[in-house]
Amino acid sequence: MPETLKVLVVEDSKATRELLASALQALAGLEVVTVVSGFEALKVLPRHRFALIITDINMPDINGLELINFVKKNPHYKDTPLFVVTTEGRTQDRERGLQLGASEYVIKPFEPPALVELVKKHLKL
Amino acid sequence: MTERRPVAEFVAEATEIVEGLSRELLGLDERRGEEPDPERLNAIFRAAHSLKGLASLFGHDRIARLAHVLEDALDALRLGKVAADDALIDAFIDGVDVLSGLLAMASRGETDGPAAERALALAQHIETLVAPAPEKPPALHELGVDKAVLNVLTEYEEHRLRENVKKGVALYMVRAVFSLEDFDQKLTALNAALKPLAEVVSTLPSAQASDEARIAFDLLVACRQPAADLEAVIRPFGATHALLSASVAPRPSAPVPVPVTAGPTAEVSLKSLSQTVRVDIARLDRLMAAVGDLLLTRTNIKRFAEGARAAGGGLHPMWAQELSREARALERKLDDLQKGILEVRMVPLGQVFDRLARLVRRLLRESGKEIDFEISGGDVELDKLIVEELSDPLMHLLRNAIDHGIEAPDKRASKGKPRRGRIRLRAANSGNHVVIEVGDDGAGMDDDRIRDEAVSRGLLTTKKAADLQRTDLLNLVFLPGFSTRRQVSELSGRGVGLDVVKTNLGRLSGLIDIVSERGQGTTFVLTLPLTLAIIRALVVQSAGRTYAVPMSSVLEIVAVRPSELRTVEHRQMLSVRGQTVPFVRLSQLFKLPETPVDLHYVVLVGLAQHRLGIAVDHLLGQQDVVTKPLSARLRDVPGLAGATDLGDRRAVLVLDVPALVSEIVRPQASP
């Protein structure tokens, strides 16, 4: 029995969150944990060992960049791959995300199969 | 995106976003000319941004495109690249209208419609309004802010930082350490405490974890007050601060003492922060119908219990007592349940007021008149179904006020009135009812014109028209086909008259009155029940038939001898504490056989300022009833609001008090 890999999805739009979750859940051996804000992400991070984090940039409490900075500088999480989900046009925010250590960026609207391919690549599934 | 996701889910979330967008825009609209509140601008931007993402994800390209254009314009606005001028704000307000239209189309599965064309034109219009000439902003390093902090700022946060520096506001780094368990509440509280004196530009969770149960945050704060004030605000939170301002700047990376906050470590909650559910009103109706049935069962049990106690014989006295006690307990619980469901159905009128405000502001701009529009009482709550049905009648009255009520500025000036007119929309609770007023300070209604119009339309003889009192004359405007409009204007020319407004309100068991003074203005007063779902009723009997009278309009019950009645102008009147009130026998109203009596039981009903005495043969008591629609045969009988069941499986008719009041208290015109 292979180990279940946990993916954290941080996204404040319910519909986008559910779409992300359903796309990822289609992958065997993945467990998806979804939260609606950066604050919630900070709360769940210590409770699980995540194999991947996918975060939105534009969120009401702390922004996605602040979350990436927190994850990438924290000795416990710094090796966890992290994807940024952004809308097209916000190039500065996207570049900063990559500078801070995000592995990939996904532009909304995204095609679920393409996202799934990226996830497979990073998790070596 | 090739595949279409479930539409209802999309429409629900998108509608919520658009409503939020609309609310914030209204705030922006009200403060035109002032520098917009950055937080509000950012909220509007975020709404447009979320909508764009959502719509493109679900393949609603038209909505996504318009939201995108709005987002870009709002982005330029919040980054200070363009100014919040009238043209742009108007375009945003139109944008909300068009988005609502597009969402309505999406929910009906339509792909073409006027909203689609407007969307395209509006998107182009907005693009031309936002000039694309961004200057390269200067570097931020010299501000003394750590590069590590600058790197995590979004473009917007960077702009806010720059704005504050430009204004000479001092920058601080505030460090706070909270328990992992409740840091979100603590941070929210800290933000709220800081708000009056400072702007929190960025909230950075610190990567250097002190221990597993706690988390540190660095807040980049622009503080407009002296450092001592900042210190006083943050001290209760156990937070410390360091000044960052370029000239004095000690490096923020210098170690800052980390205070220890108390508090046990508990299980981290994974619950969603959202605590609301959306419910289809039809489900609440079904629940309410079930409660209605339970109420009937309760009545039967009570009757049975009382019977058992009185009769004694068949049932053991202890059981009879027990049964009574249980019946009372059931009654209390059912009351709670009923109250609970009613509370859930209640929504603030603000929901419909916001929508109206948007339309009114557009109409005002198109009308070319100078008018202030005031709204109050948006927090007054009414049954969701009633609130939904109110928007058309209220819109009609507001259109009328803009179009016919308020005079042109020059005409107002010549009458010695201020050039700017005023239209008010307000709501207030009044006992079991809600009163909504739509008022203007315009010309008021013209008696002569109403009289002429009524006569020329054959609604009234010249003689009768001349005899009518002003209040009765004003009520003529509610007759079908009545209109004093000399020309159909662009605003009101929709072919809907005040008679439709009155009929719609009647359907909601509401009443409409006019207060109008020549030269002073006109106010329409709408009196509405809080809910139609369940009502407390007085059960009465007349000519052997049972009727229910909604208690909300019953003022009192008086006993009157036939000899005490007086006849004034062919109408029977009754005197209640010096006030003369029209009197009618219920049997006479429904053309039932009338029998002479020694004493009339008169149910005195009232709505707004109107009073009516309805005589009945017997009073049977009070009961909660769920009103059901009338059968087709009875639907057109005036004076009936619906039918109900009192538990003895016989249908009982519920009186429509507003209809009876307008039928009897106000004389109807006849040729």
Side-chain angles (χ1 to χ4, degrees):
Chain A
M1 182 88 184
E3 193 196 352
T4 318
L5 295 175
K6 286 183 179 174
V7 178
L8 175 64
V9 171
V10 190
E11 167 66 65
D12 62 335
S13 153
K14 177 166 179 273
T16 311
R17 193 166 62 242
E18 282 170 4
L19 187 64
L20 278 166
S22 68
L24 295 172
Q25 259 146 4
L27 276 172
L30 272 198
E31 186 190 329
V32 183
V33 176
T34 60
V35 294
V36 304
S37 70
F39 280 174
E40 283 198 19
L42 293 178
K43 287 192 171 189
V44 298
L45 273 171
R47 315 287 311 171
H48 302 266
R49 239 186 62 121
F50 290 107
L52 173 67
I53 300 168
I54 301 180
T55 181
D56 190 14
I57 293 280
N58 227 287
M59 291 185 296
D61 41 28
I62 61 167
N63 70 48
L65 297 178
E66 288 158 344
L67 181 65
I68 300 170
N69 182 65
F70 175 79
V71 167
K72 287 294 165 187
K73 297 232 172 99
N74 192 302
H76 299 300
Y77 318 121
K78 65 178 174 30
D79 297 326
T80 314
L82 197 150
F83 293 3
V84 194
V85 181
T86 63
T87 21
E88 55 180 317
R90 309 222 64 84
T91 38
Q92 180 181 325
D93 292 347
R94 192 183 312 146
E95 277 161 18
R96 287 207 171 148
L98 293 177
Q99 272 167 22
L100 288 170
S103 313
E104 299 278 355
Y105 61 84
V106 182
I107 296 178
K108 280 193 266 190
F110 58 87
E111 297 286 337
L115 173 75
V116 166
E117 282 314 306
L118 274 181
V119 172
K120 275 164 113 175
K121 191 181 107 191
H122 278 270
L123 297 184
K124 303 190 173 63
L125 288 171
Chain B
M1 185 111 251
T2 43
E3 186 190 343
R4 287 237 155 189
R5 310 274 159 193
V7 170
E9 205 180 303
F10 163 73
V11 171
E13 189 174 344
T15 305
E16 228 164 69
I17 297 175
V18 171
E19 275 170 9
L21 186 67
S22 159
R23 236 185 340 267
E24 295 293 340
L25 266 180
L26 214 60
L28 196 65
D29 188 21
E30 278 164 0
R31 285 173 194 74
R32 280 179 193 241
E34 295 170 30
E35 191 181 336
D37 170 18
E39 241 174 73
R40 169 166 277 140
L41 266 187
N42 197 33
I44 303 174
F45 164 78
R46 279 184 43 77
H49 173 78
S50 309
L51 185 64
K52 182 186 81 174
L54 182 72
S56 54
L57 204 55
F58 279 72
H60 292 276
D61 298 338
R62 261 195 292 245
I63 297 177
R65 156 122 172 91
L66 182 54
H68 188 174
V69 172
L70 283 171
E71 182 201 8
D72 282 351
L74 283 158
D75 199 24
L77 195 58
R78 74 183 185 135
L79 294 174
K81 292 176 186 163
V82 290
D85 58 10
D86 281 357
L88 200 54
I89 295 178
D90 286 353
F92 289 157
I93 291 170
D94 283 348
V96 170
D97 271 351
V98 175
L99 285 172
S100 307
L102 289 174
L103 282 176
M105 275 173 57
S107 71
R108 292 191 297 261
E110 297 169 4
T111 51
D112 270 305
E117 285 166 33
R118 278 183 69 197
L120 200 64
L122 183 64
Q124 284 165 354
H125 173 59
I126 293 175
E127 275 173 343
T128 59
L129 287 177
V130 186
E135 56 192 83
K136 192 75 196 150
L140 270 168
H141 308 131
E142 64 265 27
L143 295 178
V145 182
D146 192 336
K147 196 121 187 256
V149 174
L150 287 179
N151 276 343
V152 299
L153 298 184
T154 59
E155 197 180 346
Y156 170 66
E157 288 169 345
E158 202 179 297
H159 165 72
R160 291 308 312 155
L161 179 63
R162 199 170 273 125
E163 281 296 294
N164 278 295
V165 170
K166 227 193 273 173
K167 286 185 191 145
V169 179
L171 295 179
Y172 297 87
M173 191 62 93
V174 170
R175 166 159 281 219
V177 182
F178 296 123
S179 146
L180 204 49
E181 176 199 348
D182 63 355
F183 71 84
D184 43 356
Q185 292 150 29
K186 290 272 169 60
L187 269 179
T188 307
L190 177 57
N191 269 299
L194 283 170
K195 181 126 205 253
L197 67 157
E199 177 177 342
V200 177
V201 175
S202 167
T203 303
L204 183 68
S206 169
Q208 286 94 40
S210 44
D211 67 62
E212 297 220 328
R214 275 189 284 277
I215 183 163
F217 287 89
D218 289 321
L219 276 63
L220 183 53
V221 172
C223 182
R224 302 176 289 270
Q225 305 292 330
D229 292 4
L230 179 68
E231 170 70 31
V233 166
I234 64 175
R235 198 185 304 120
F237 293 91
T240 52
H241 68 86
L243 183 70
L244 291 186
S245 169
S247 50
V248 202
R251 291 277 121 186
S253 44
V256 180
V258 176
V260 176
T261 35
T265 314
E267 191 71 6
V268 175
S269 167
L270 295 185
K271 277 189 300 189
S272 158
L273 293 177
S274 167
Q275 296 280 0
T276 55
V277 286
R278 255 195 300 261
V279 183
D280 187 337
I281 192 101
R283 291 192 185 181
L284 291 181
D285 281 341
R286 280 200 292 277
L287 273 182
M288 194 50 113
V291 171
D293 291 344
L294 282 173
L295 289 174
L296 299 182
T297 312
R298 174 202 68 183
T299 310
N300 287 340
I301 292 177
K302 228 168 102 183
R303 196 178 301 142
F304 180 49
E306 278 159 15
R309 275 179 85 174
L315 206 59
H316 192 282
M318 211 172 70
W319 285 13
Q321 219 166 23
E322 201 69 6
L323 187 59
S324 291
R325 192 160 45 232
E326 292 301 318
R328 277 198 304 276
L330 177 66
E331 184 165 4
R332 279 194 299 273
K333 289 289 159 213
L334 273 175
D335 278 350
D336 289 347
L337 181 59
Q338 181 191 328
K339 225 189 271 162
I341 297 177
L342 277 180
E343 274 169 17
V344 173
R345 298 175 65 96
M346 292 293 174
V347 294
L349 269 168
Q351 287 189 356
V352 65
F353 280 11
D354 283 353
R355 256 179 284 159
L356 288 170
R358 226 162 58 213
L359 267 158
V360 165
R361 285 182 209 285
R362 205 179 72 213
L363 290 179
L364 285 180
R365 284 191 299 279
E366 287 165 8
S367 74
K369 291 180 182 174
E370 297 171 21
I371 300 174
D372 288 327
F373 179 51
E374 288 169 20
I375 291 186
S376 61
D379 52 343
V380 172
E381 292 192 330
L382 265 178
D383 191 302
K384 169 88 175 159
L385 282 184
I386 299 181
V387 169
E388 285 306 311
E389 294 300 318
L390 276 176
S391 71
D392 286 349
L394 286 176
M395 194 59 231
H396 186 83
L397 295 174
L398 287 165
R399 268 179 202 279
N400 264 345
I402 296 170
D403 200 22
H404 307 303
I406 305 284
E407 317 89 323
D410 289 341
K411 191 167 179 196
R412 289 178 64 91
S414 74
K415 293 244 169 77
K417 292 163 87 168
R419 290 180 65 85
R420 285 191 82 77
R422 200 168 56 188
I423 294 178
R424 278 183 312 267
L425 171 62
R426 55 180 172 204
N429 277 306
S430 164
N432 279 321
H433 290 91
V434 165
V435 176
I436 303 176
E437 292 182 7
V438 177
D440 64 61
D441 69 343
M445 290 197 175
D446 184 336
D447 294 24
D448 298 335
R449 258 175 81 180
I450 295 175
R451 207 172 265 129
D452 291 352
E453 186 75 16
V455 173
S456 77
R457 287 187 180 265
L459 299 167
L460 219 58
T461 60
T462 318
K463 162 92 177 64
K464 200 156 183 193
D467 288 348
L468 275 186
Q469 298 286 313
R470 181 165 164 88
T471 37
D472 296 334
L473 200 62
L474 291 182
N475 281 315
L476 292 177
V477 302
F478 291 121
L479 291 179
F482 190 92
S483 165
T484 63
R485 255 171 260 144
R486 293 284 145 89
Q487 61 188 49
V488 174
S489 93
E490 200 182 328
L491 293 189
S492 308
R494 296 282 170 111
V496 182
L498 284 170
D499 59 318
V500 177
V501 172
K502 192 182 170 190
T503 314
N504 287 346
L505 284 172
R507 218 171 280 144
L508 303 173
S509 289
L511 189 72
I512 182 164
D513 284 300
I514 312 177
V515 183
S516 182
E517 286 297 325
R518 281 297 290 281
Q520 305 288 307
T522 304
T523 300
F524 287 90
V525 184
L526 282 56
T527 308
L528 290 152
L530 291 174
T531 182
L532 300 173
I534 194 157
I535 52 169
R536 185 134 192 98
L538 176 68
V539 183
V540 299
Q541 213 168 47
S542 212
R545 300 192 187 201
T546 313
Y547 295 90
V549 189
M551 277 305 285
S552 58
S553 42
V554 174
L555 299 175
E556 62 179 314
I557 293 157
V558 289
V560 179
R561 280 179 211 295
S563 59
E564 292 174 63
L565 295 172
R566 289 181 295 136
T567 303
V568 182
E569 289 170 358
H570 313 294
R571 285 153 104 193
Q572 281 195 301
M573 296 293 215
L574 139 103
S575 179
V576 185
R577 280 186 292 279
Q579 198 190 352
T580 307
V581 175
F583 166 95
V584 67
R585 288 184 73 176
L586 194 55
S587 45
Q588 177 191 340
L589 269 177
F590 293 116
K591 305 195 172 56
L592 300 171
E594 286 180 57
T595 43
V597 290
D598 296 334
L599 200 64
H600 289 297
Y601 290 104
V602 180
V603 181
L604 192 67
V605 295
L607 211 55
Q609 75 277 28
H610 310 288
R611 301 284 176 271
L612 172 65
I614 303 173
V616 300
D617 297 345
H618 302 285
L619 300 164
L620 301 182
Q622 289 183 30
Q623 199 166 322
D624 289 316
V625 298
V626 174
T627 314
K628 292 168 185 149
L630 288 167
S631 66
R633 195 170 51 85
L634 287 171
R635 203 163 296 149
D636 295 325
V637 177
L640 295 179
T644 189
D645 182 336
L646 295 182
D648 44 11
R649 284 169 195 81
R650 271 189 312 135
V652 161
L653 297 171
V654 181
L655 298 190
D656 181 355
V657 174
L660 291 175
V661 165
S662 27
E663 191 96 335
I664 293 157
V665 179
R666 306 153 161 188
Q668 290 294 293
S670 54

